[in-house]
Amino acid sequence: MPRRTNPSESSKGPCDTGDVDNETTRHLQEEGIMPPRKKVRWDGSVESPHEDSIEEDSSSDTVEKIGLAATCQFGRVACAFYDPVKCTVFVFEDTTENKHFDLTKAFLEQASPDVVLTSSKADDNFMDVCRDYMDSSGGTFQIRPHKDFIALRGRDRLLSLRLLSKLPIQDQDSQLESDPACEPRNAYDFMRQRKEIGGDPMLQKWNASVRLANFASVETSPLCLGSVGALLEYLVRARAVAELDDEGVGGLEIRNIEPLPLLNVMQINADALFSLQVFEDENHASIHSDRTKEGLSLFGILNATKTTLGRALMREWFIRPSMSLSVINARHDAVECFIRPDNIPTATSLHGHLQGTKNIPRILATMKAGKSKVSDWQGMVKFAFHALLLRDALAELNHAGGVEIVRKLLDALDVAFLREIGNAVNETIDWEESTNACRICVRPHVDEELDNLKHIYHGIDAVLSKVAARVSATVPPDYTSSLNVVYFPQLGFLVCVPMQDDWHGEGGIKVLDGWTFQAHMDTHIGDLHPAIVDREIEIVQALQERILSYAHRIGRVCDICAELDCLLSFAAASRSYDYIRPQMTEENVIYIKQGRHPLQELVVDTFVPNDAFIVGGAGLGVALDDISIADDDTEEDEPYPQKNSIVVCTGANACGKVVFVPAESARLGIVDKIFTRVQTRESVSRVQSAFMIDLNQVSLALRNSTAQSLILLDEFGKGTLSAGLHLLASGSACPKVVATTHFHEVFHDDILSPYKLPITFLHMQVLLARNLHEQVIAPEDASFTDGDDNEDDGNGLRVTRGDRITYLYKVANGYSLHSHAITCAEIFGIPRRVANRARRVGELLAKHEICQLLDEDMSDVERRELEEAEEVCRKFLAWDLSRDAREGNPPVRDVLAEVLGRSA
């Protein structure tokens, strides 16, 4: 396999140790004794003041191997690998893996590692997949002890990287006043110099834990942390052997940490899945149960699968959506075919047949282990029966010639082998006898030897009677008066005679001479029941081997049936919730007409749909060509005026800001990554504050987004628009951003002009009902305010004291300068006086004139109230409470009423 070279290795000088320069080294460089060090930038470029005089030695390039550490336990897989060219560690979070290990094969092929490390406790099948891949590619496969893959040790090693633990030095002139080379006089000097030279270890670890979330979300992925730890340990060992340098993890040249983006798979992390409510676990209704169920979520409303494999496959599609247009269009073709009115009965029949199938892969695994039960064989027969019915039902579908799933299923459902499986099992196993005997029994006329044994066994009563009569004729009358012949399946035949009194003596039991009839019966009849069971086991074992020879074909049919189950579930949801097929395009655009939120519309009486239009790569300095959006109702294309990558939505509180499909029509481009800053997942185990967690989410989006990414920011403090402006500077790499904010100060004094920046501004419309029963709707393409009684916004719209606000949930062009928070507060019972004061203070804050509050004069009413309060306080302080009321003083209640100026 080709090897990758590390450019940073060839550029290292004899004094390039990668550590921060100290005072002595800088003096030597200034005096010319030591040559100046080369500066390695983050992008990998190398600068040297004597670069022209240094001859580049190509022979000094060293070859480094690509190492990958991966593990798979309990159906979840994670990995991490190091790219020596980019000096980057790529991490893959804990993700559910299927039985074919498709995810494992995908990241192995994408990384093309030279060395693969895995844990000794990893899944055996996972090890086989990794071993087979490395054998075919000529690489090295190592099984490391499980202690190298412990999550806690991996986290400590990860936090020890210089990339995370040491912050960039901003001030190079700030040096130590004392000589670091001097000997410490006491322990306090030693600890102080240790902090000044190397930094506080606890502070470095805290900085590293905070900065780690800026690069990748691995804190909740124990398998991923363990893989990273094993990878770093391997890199340290390799560096120590190659360079004889044992600086530990801190000496590794790692410039970046990135999530591993799989090819043709959308990247969506756990925070985005949680914020968008793709999955929602609810506790069981019973307090005695620890099980959870799916709540109100996107997966919950779309999941109508009938099989276990179908549910697992749909969950995999939600976690790792496909980015292939051919795959997406094939699924859309199938759903469109199934929701046709003439195909609805057939689609319902198909779903019913799928419900009759069992978890066949589990049954095959049970058969391979030799632990199959009667129910497993019944499930195999039902599978063959319903598979044949599926094939017959597929022939009844109309306009299904171009549907890929129908074509694949017809090719996989071979009538001959399905009938062979069903007939072989049904004609071999006796279901009634198996149920009664609680074991697998074989039908008559399947095996002649077995039939003879069963015939003898079922006629054993008559045989025993004849044998008993014949034996009694040979027994002397004085030996016993009666005898009995008994057959035990586990022991054989026994002749029972009554115990005589004289046999209790010293002579013992008297045995007749030549009494050999027991051995004679064992020779001719034997132990019938064990012989029958053994023969049935042999027959069932032969049948099992015959069925397992079709295991590969059966597994392929199950996979296609699971895919059909998911598509039928999507079709059922499309019919129930009135979803439409979007037009998929290679353009980096999202255009939705009359879009609806799939969850919100289920919990409200009336949902107001809205339009959305956003393009990717429309940053600063990018001139986009005119983009025309095809309209279904007209023949001509309708140009959309605002083609921007960033959409900022402002508006009233409690109004909602949602622009999602399903819709009346939609034109969607491919999205490679989705990042969100919607909800904050706090925990006492995390050292970050809530705002720090929000910053980490935004930093993760800024570092890893591309022009095809989608970023959703919901009221991210006062940094929402700052993040958007940073993305605008990316130019053609600017992702699609939808941001909601109440940071209206940026619209004042032309700080953020909607006419100079390529940003689309929207707001949520409201209806203002005035005292004179006049209703006013905020005009489109105009900003508005809710100022004082005499304040006008320039458009003839004022919000007076008696106004009532009604949220219309309708998106309109332009931005709003107010969120109507004061009106919301009054609706929920805040006094009008407090609300007016808050409005006044808010206006001063927006104009940066808060100091005017210090110059305000009190009104006459306020002065009078303050004087009255002061008089009450003085009377209360002058009250002597040491005197007893029994000395002729008035009661306490009367004195208190007098102090407060009230009658007793």
Side-chain angles (χ1 to χ4, degrees):
M1 291 185 60
R3 298 294 188 265
R4 304 184 183 182
T5 59
N6 187 358
S8 63
E9 292 294 329
S10 61
S11 62
K12 283 187 178 180
C15 299
D16 188 8
T17 61
D19 297 330
V20 181
D21 295 338
N22 53 27
E23 187 76 22
T24 305
T25 303
R26 190 171 66 254
H27 285 305
L28 292 176
Q29 291 176 355
E30 293 175 354
E31 296 176 2
I33 301 176
M34 179 182 293
R37 297 182 180 181
K38 299 178 181 180
K39 299 180 180 179
V40 180
R41 295 185 179 274
W42 291 103
D43 57 358
S45 60
V46 180
E47 292 183 357
S48 177
H50 306 290
E51 187 175 359
D52 298 335
S53 62
I54 298 177
E55 182 179 1
E56 184 177 358
D57 187 5
S58 60
S59 62
S60 63
D61 291 346
T62 60
V63 178
E64 290 192 8
K65 295 182 178 180
I66 301 177
L68 184 144
T71 184
C72 180
Q73 295 181 7
F74 309 109
R76 298 181 66 84
V77 67
C79 77
F81 84 93
Y82 176 70
D83 187 350
V85 175
K86 299 180 179 179
C87 296
T88 300
V89 172
F90 291 91
V91 296
F92 189 80
E93 302 177 19
D94 296 5
T95 310
T96 305
E97 179 63 292
N98 56 25
K99 60 185 181 66
H100 300 295
F101 294 97
D102 295 332
L103 197 58
T104 303
K105 298 175 183 177
F107 63 66
L108 284 175
E109 293 177 358
Q110 184 170 340
S112 298
D114 301 312
V115 179
V116 171
L117 312 174
T118 189
S119 171
S120 58
K121 291 187 177 181
D123 186 81
D124 294 337
N125 296 328
F126 171 79
M127 290 185 183
D128 295 338
V129 172
C130 295
R131 184 182 293 108
D132 294 342
Y133 178 84
M134 297 310 295
D135 291 343
S136 61
S137 62
T140 304
F141 176 70
Q142 298 181 8
I143 300 178
R144 303 295 303 168
H146 179 66
K147 62 180 182 180
D148 292 348
F149 284 82
I150 297 177
L152 185 59
R153 296 181 61 179
R155 184 177 184 274
D156 293 339
R157 292 169 182 169
L158 187 59
L159 298 182
S160 301
L161 293 175
R162 290 201 310 264
L163 173 66
L164 301 177
S165 60
K166 294 185 178 181
L167 297 177
I169 300 177
Q170 301 295 337
D171 188 5
Q172 297 290 344
D173 297 332
S174 59
Q175 299 291 337
L176 302 178
E177 296 180 359
S178 60
D179 187 5
C182 64
E183 294 293 334
R185 292 175 296 180
N186 49 44
Y188 297 102
D189 290 344
F190 173 77
M191 294 301 297
R192 179 175 53 81
Q193 290 187 8
R194 180 168 177 260
K195 291 183 179 180
E196 291 174 346
I197 297 176
D200 188 358
M202 296 301 297
L203 181 60
Q204 289 183 355
K205 188 173 182 180
W206 184 85
N207 291 333
S209 62
V210 172
R211 299 190 68 197
L212 176 60
N214 299 342
F215 296 90
S217 301
V218 297
E219 289 285 355
T220 58
S221 301
L223 296 181
C224 181
L225 287 175
S227 300
V228 173
L231 176 64
L232 295 179
E233 183 70 18
Y234 163 77
L235 295 177
V236 169
R237 292 197 306 267
R239 187 171 185 267
V241 172
E243 303 181 7
L244 299 178
D245 187 2
D246 189 11
E247 296 184 12
V249 177
L252 295 176
E253 183 67 21
I254 295 178
R255 302 175 185 174
N256 197 7
I257 301 174
E258 296 182 8
L260 175 61
L262 294 179
L263 299 177
N264 294 327
V265 175
M266 179 192 295
Q267 178 184 341
I268 177 170
N269 57 17
D271 289 334
L273 292 174
F274 178 76
S275 300
L276 299 179
Q277 207 165 334
V278 178
F279 301 101
E280 181 71 20
D281 291 335
E282 289 185 356
N283 295 328
H284 197 273
S286 175
I287 61 175
H288 304 287
S289 178
D290 296 334
R291 301 180 60 184
T292 59
K293 62 178 182 179
E294 192 68 29
L296 180 63
S297 63
L298 185 61
F299 177 77
I301 65 174
L302 296 181
N303 178 34
T305 54
K306 305 295 184 181
T307 62
T308 305
L309 295 179
R311 177 182 174 87
L313 181 61
M314 178 173 286
R315 193 174 187 89
E316 181 180 341
W317 285 0
F318 274 75
I319 295 176
R320 296 189 297 273
S322 176
M323 292 174 53
S324 174
L325 277 178
S326 59
V327 174
I328 297 174
N329 288 326
R331 295 173 183 174
H332 288 175
D333 293 339
V335 174
E336 187 177 22
C337 176
F338 294 146
I339 64 176
R340 289 176 58 91
D342 52 349
N343 288 335
I344 292 179
T346 305
T348 305
S349 176
L350 290 173
H351 229 172
H353 294 320
L354 289 174
Q355 189 175 5
T357 60
K358 300 292 184 179
N359 190 356
I360 300 300
R362 184 195 62 81
I363 294 177
L364 293 176
T366 304
M367 289 183 177
K368 291 180 181 179
K371 300 179 181 180
S372 58
K373 301 179 181 178
V374 179
S375 58
D376 297 332
W377 290 101
Q378 291 176 345
M380 185 62 66
V381 174
K382 291 181 179 179
F383 164 74
F385 174 73
H386 287 285
L388 292 173
L389 294 180
L390 276 175
R391 182 179 177 85
D392 296 338
L394 288 174
E396 301 177 2
L397 286 174
N398 298 318
H399 301 86
V403 179
E404 183 180 356
I405 184 64
V406 176
R407 184 171 58 255
K408 291 194 303 183
L409 199 56
L410 289 176
D411 295 339
L413 294 177
D414 187 8
V415 178
F417 100 91
L418 290 174
R419 286 183 177 177
E420 184 178 355
I421 291 175
N423 293 333
V425 177
N426 192 47
E427 294 175 357
T428 302
I429 298 178
D430 191 340
W431 306 112
E432 184 177 357
E433 185 179 354
S434 299
T435 304
N436 296 331
C438 297
R439 62 180 180 86
I440 302 175
C441 300
V442 180
R443 289 180 181 271
H445 310 296
V446 174
D447 184 75
E448 184 177 357
E449 181 183 353
L450 179 63
D451 293 341
N452 293 333
L453 291 176
K454 287 187 175 181
H455 178 71
I456 297 175
Y457 180 75
H458 292 308
I460 196 66
D461 293 338
V463 174
L464 292 179
S465 299
K466 293 179 181 180
V467 171
R470 187 176 61 182
V471 171
S472 62
T474 61
V475 176
D478 57 346
Y479 183 77
T480 180
S481 58
S482 63
L483 58 85
N484 188 20
V485 179
V486 183
Y487 172 75
F488 289 96
Q490 291 78 16
L491 301 177
F493 296 93
L494 298 177
V495 178
C496 301
V497 296
M499 188 69 179
Q500 303 294 333
D501 295 337
D502 53 352
W503 291 351
H504 294 285
E506 297 179 358
I509 300 175
K510 180 180 179 182
V511 181
L512 296 178
D513 296 335
W515 209 353
T516 60
F517 60 88
Q518 182 175 1
H520 179 74
M521 294 182 67
D522 286 343
T523 303
H524 292 80
I525 299 178
D527 295 338
L528 290 179
H529 190 272
I532 291 173
V533 173
D534 293 342
R535 184 54 185 166
E536 287 181 335
I537 291 176
E538 294 176 0
I539 296 173
V540 173
Q541 181 66 26
L543 175 63
Q544 182 173 293
E545 294 176 357
R546 182 180 175 186
I547 299 300
L548 291 177
S549 63
Y550 297 104
H552 179 71
R553 299 179 64 180
I554 294 175
R556 182 169 180 270
V557 172
C558 292
D559 294 338
I560 299 176
C561 288
E563 185 177 355
L564 176 64
D565 193 9
C566 295
L567 296 176
L568 289 173
S569 180
F570 287 156
S574 299
R575 292 195 305 267
S576 302
Y577 304 120
D578 192 21
Y579 293 172
I580 56 95
R581 175 178 181 174
Q583 177 188 356
M584 303 304 300
T585 178
E586 295 183 357
E587 299 175 359
N588 194 4
V589 62
I590 295 179
Y591 177 49
I592 301 173
K593 295 183 65 176
Q594 299 298 298
R596 311 188 310 274
H597 194 291
L599 300 180
Q600 185 70 18
E601 67 174 349
L602 300 179
V603 296
V604 296
D605 296 333
T606 303
F607 187 88
V608 180
N610 288 289
D611 298 344
F613 182 84
I614 186 172
V615 296
L620 292 174
V622 177
L624 294 179
D625 298 333
D626 293 336
I627 299 177
S628 299
I629 306 301
D631 197 342
D632 298 336
D633 299 332
T634 61
E635 297 181 357
E636 298 181 356
D637 293 344
E638 177 187 354
Y640 204 92
Q642 295 178 324
K643 309 178 187 66
N644 298 323
S645 291
I646 296 182
V647 175
V648 176
C649 184
T650 62
N653 283 324
C655 196
K657 310 171 185 69
V658 287
V659 283
F660 295 97
V661 290
E664 181 180 303
S665 65
R667 185 180 184 185
L668 306 177
I670 297 298
V671 176
D672 61 351
K673 302 174 184 178
I674 296 181
F675 300 99
T676 61
R677 209 322 302 162
V678 178
Q679 291 186 356
T680 303
R681 304 174 67 179
E682 299 182 70
S683 174
V684 294
S685 61
R686 305 182 69 172
V687 296
Q688 300 97 328
S689 63
F691 186 63
M692 180 63 71
I693 296 174
D694 296 346
L695 290 175
N696 287 332
Q697 293 180 355
V698 176
S699 176
L700 182 66
L702 297 179
R703 290 176 181 271
N704 299 283
S705 61
T706 65
Q708 289 186 323
S709 301
L710 176 62
I711 301 178
L712 305 177
L713 304 176
D714 182 20
E715 299 184 11
F716 169 58
K718 292 190 176 182
T720 303
L721 297 180
S722 301
L725 292 176
H726 176 80
L727 293 170
L728 278 177
S730 303
S732 59
C734 180
K736 299 179 286 292
V737 182
V738 178
T740 62
T741 184
H742 292 298
F743 184 35
H744 304 123
E745 287 81 354
V746 294
F747 300 113
H748 295 282
D749 300 329
D750 204 21
I751 299 177
L752 182 63
S753 175
Y755 307 103
K756 298 179 180 180
L757 296 176
I759 299 178
T760 301
F761 291 95
L762 304 174
H763 70 274
M764 306 300 294
Q765 284 187 340
V766 295
L767 178 67
L768 303 176
R770 297 184 173 177
N771 293 331
L772 301 178
H773 305 286
E774 179 184 359
Q775 295 180 350
V776 179
I777 301 180
E780 295 187 3
D781 300 321
S783 60
F784 56 93
T785 61
D786 55 5
D788 296 335
D789 295 344
N790 299 323
E791 183 180 356
D792 201 318
D793 64 350
N795 296 294
L797 177 64
R798 292 185 302 172
V799 180
T800 58
R801 291 186 175 182
D803 292 346
R804 293 178 299 172
I805 186 170
T806 302
Y807 304 107
L808 300 181
Y809 303 95
K810 191 66 177 177
V811 176
N813 292 328
Y815 60 87
S816 171
L817 295 179
H818 288 274
S819 60
H820 298 282
I822 303 300
T823 308
C824 292
E826 293 180 356
I827 293 176
F828 288 97
I830 300 299
R832 179 64 60 84
R833 178 175 55 85
V834 177
N836 291 336
R837 181 62 176 175
R839 179 183 290 108
R840 170 62 177 169
V841 174
E843 292 173 357
L844 294 178
L845 286 173
K847 298 178 181 178
H848 304 284
E849 299 176 355
I850 191 65
C851 295
Q852 291 187 9
L853 296 177
L854 301 177
D855 301 331
E856 287 186 347
D857 294 333
M858 292 186 296
S859 61
D860 296 338
V861 177
E862 291 175 344
R863 289 194 185 92
R864 188 165 51 254
E865 291 178 354
L866 182 60
E867 293 175 356
E868 293 177 356
E870 181 182 1
E871 184 180 357
V872 170
C873 292
R874 292 185 181 277
K875 289 182 179 180
F876 185 81
L877 292 176
W879 184 12
D880 187 4
L881 300 176
S882 61
R883 296 182 179 180
D884 195 348
R886 290 176 296 180
E887 298 178 358
N889 295 323
V892 175
R893 184 185 298 272
D894 297 342
V895 177
L896 184 60
E898 182 181 357
V899 169
L900 297 177
R902 301 176 183 177
S903 58

